[in-house]
């Protein structure tokens, strides 16, 4: 189709192709066209039509298709005379999925139409993540709208979201995703309206509402509220954004073991360029919830705090785990707190405090089981005690050392 392009060799072509050029434009249609290329690309039978009318530097056009396979079309891109920038994007984003009952109408300047209208359905839609742009797969639903406003309805199973610019474990698997998402363009800004989203994955069930505004500069503004139920305690680390230092994320990954959160909530509001809103300035970032049955392995070699029922709070750059009930080596604990005051600090400090009441012998056992036993040459190992007592626990530890 161009001297510089590879030959498009076809094994089989079935269907009808028609085209017409007029003084003001051109039109064409494909009826029940099915193609198989020599290198194995199979284009399923489809009905497609295109009509364009031009007046000077302006044009009005309409494109219709009863079905399109994006992966197949992207695979054929190297054979067609497309702008090189578009060809590069198709390779990078690797689009996949099926579009059905697609109708696209546009009008305005040829190089940048001012008006457009779209309607159609999609199934198993997928795009690869690229730079800061997220990727996804398995997204199904339908959309309808124009340059001013519109609506997307999602009803997806076994979908994934790929967010490499946000999370260290970028791929989030979603067994179920349903959402109503709208858009609205006004006064140079575009608002994305999350009217309802319900999702289920291996870590939690949840729902969310909110909106995102983008003006064409910066990262935009967000106002998001979400609720989680039946969330896994040991999955907390997976949802900590990359803005949180790696040491703190690694500590969360290894230290919170088991447990379930009956309810948790997320509140995120403000310009994303200022996230996570240190000292509450410029916006809100808060994750909080109650949990039960968790274990806190706060430091290597120290006896873990078990059977914790309490609360978890992330607010700005602060993390706080507070336990109403817990145990350590079989002794009941109260007033348990594990806190990192600054998750962005180059030398993150973890402070663990608690108060134990129980058999004094258990306190000696705690000393022996901890690194303190080795440092004092285990001289408490042979000491026996009777009666009850109280133990105040306070550990201040830099996570990097």
């Amino acid at each position: 189709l161009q001297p510089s392009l590879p030959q498009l060799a076809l094994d089989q072509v079935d269907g009808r192709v028609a085209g017409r050029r007029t003084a003001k434009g051109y039109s064409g249609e494909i009826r029940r066209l099915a193609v198989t290329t020599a290198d194995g690309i199979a284009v399923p039978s489809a009905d497609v039509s295109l009509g364009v009318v031009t007046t000077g530097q302006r044009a009005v056009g309409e494109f219709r298709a009863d079905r399109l396979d994006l992966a197949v079309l992207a695979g054929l891109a190297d054979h067609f005379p497309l702008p090189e920038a578009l060809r590069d994007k198709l390779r990078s984003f690797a689009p996949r999925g099926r579009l059905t009952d697609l109708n696209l109408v546009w009008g305005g300047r040829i190089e940048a139409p001012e008006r457009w209208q779209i309607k159609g359905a999609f199934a198993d839609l997928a795009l690869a993540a690229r730079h800061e742009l997220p990727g996804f797969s398995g997204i199904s639903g339908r959309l309808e709208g124009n340059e001013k406003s519109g609506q997307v309805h999602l009803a997806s199973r076994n979908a994934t979201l790929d967010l490499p610019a946000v999370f260290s474990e970028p791929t989030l698997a979603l067994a179920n995703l349903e959402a109503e998402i709208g858009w609205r363009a006004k006064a140079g800004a575009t608002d994305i309206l999350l009217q309802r989203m319900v999702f289920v994955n291996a870590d939690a069930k949840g729902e969310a509402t909110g909106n995102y505004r983008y003006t064409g500069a910066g990262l935009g503004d967000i106002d998001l509220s979400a609720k989680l139920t039946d969330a896994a305690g040991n999955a907390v680390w997976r949802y900590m954004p990359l803005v949180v230092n790696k040491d703190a994320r690694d500590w969360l990954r290894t230290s919170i073991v088991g447990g379930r959160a009956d309810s948790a909530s997320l509140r995120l509001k403000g310009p994303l360029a200022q996230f996570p809103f240190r000292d509450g300035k410029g916006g809100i970032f808060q994750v909080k919830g109650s949990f039960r049955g968790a274990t806190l392995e706060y430091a290597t070699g120290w006896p873990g705090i078990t059977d914790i029922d309490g609360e978890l709070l992330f607010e700005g750059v602060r993390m706080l785990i507070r336990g109403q009930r817990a145990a350590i080596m079989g002794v009941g604990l109260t007033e348990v707190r594990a806190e990192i005051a600054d998750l962005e600090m180059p030398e993150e400090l973890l402070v663990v405090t608690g108060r134990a009441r129980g058999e004094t012998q258990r306190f000696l056992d705690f000393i022996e089981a901890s690194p303190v036993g080795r440092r004092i040459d285990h001289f408490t190992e042979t000491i026996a005690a009777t009666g009850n007592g109280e133990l105040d626990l306070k550990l201040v530890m830099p996570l990097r050392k």
Side-chain angles (χ1 to χ4, degrees), residues 338-380:
E339 182 174 11
I340 301 174
D342 193 338
L343 291 163
E344 292 184 310
M345 184 179 176
E347 292 288 342
E348 310 94 331
L349 283 177
L350 169 69
V351 179
V352 179
T353 59
R355 179 172 297 225
R357 295 181 178 87
E359 298 177 34
T360 305
Q361 181 62 48
R362 296 280 189 168
F363 305 154
L364 294 172
D365 295 341
F366 172 84
I367 293 172
E368 177 59 27
S370 75
V372 176
R374 184 179 67 256
R375 287 178 175 268
I376 61 175
D377 293 329
H378 303 285
F379 81 79
T380 58

Side-chain angles (χ1 to χ4, degrees), residues 12-183:
Q12 183 176 344
V13 182
D14 291 303
R16 181 174 186 270
V17 179
R20 175 184 297 172
R21 180 178 290 278
T22 68
K24 291 188 176 182
Y26 53 88
S27 63
E29 67 174 9
I30 294 171
R31 295 294 181 192
R32 296 182 298 280
L33 180 68
V35 175
T36 303
T37 68
D39 53 2
I41 297 176
V43 182
S45 175
D47 291 345
V48 179
S49 65
L50 172 66
V52 178
V53 176
T54 60
T55 305
Q57 296 300 311
R58 304 183 73 80
V60 175
E62 181 175 13
F63 176 79
R64 290 177 176 270
D66 68 336
R67 63 175 66 88
L68 292 174
D69 189 308
L70 296 181
V72 168
L73 295 179
L76 294 173
D78 286 342
H79 297 284
F80 287 88
L82 301 173
E84 192 59 34
L86 176 57
R87 192 176 282 113
D88 287 342
K89 287 183 178 179
L90 287 172
R91 293 192 191 107
S92 299
F93 289 111
R96 305 188 309 277
R98 301 180 303 281
L99 304 180
T100 56
D101 299 325
L102 179 65
N103 183 21
L104 174 62
V105 179
W106 69 92
R109 289 179 294 131
I110 294 175
E111 69 278 10
E114 297 98 0
R115 306 183 313 279
W116 54 267
Q117 185 172 340
I118 190 170
K119 182 178 181 180
F122 48 90
D124 293 326
L125 209 61
L127 286 179
R130 187 170 186 261
H131 304 309
E132 72 281 0
L133 296 176
F136 54 84
S137 68
I139 301 297
S140 300
R142 65 185 190 279
L143 79 161
E144 182 174 1
N146 54 39
E147 76 282 355
K148 295 181 180 178
S149 63
Q151 194 78 14
V152 179
H153 309 269
L154 298 182
S156 306
R157 301 290 183 271
N158 299 319
T160 65
L161 298 179
D162 195 11
L163 304 165
V166 180
F167 299 121
S168 60
E169 292 275 326
T171 302
L172 303 180
L174 300 170
N176 183 56
L177 172 64
E178 298 181 8
E180 302 286 338
I181 304 170
W183 73 82

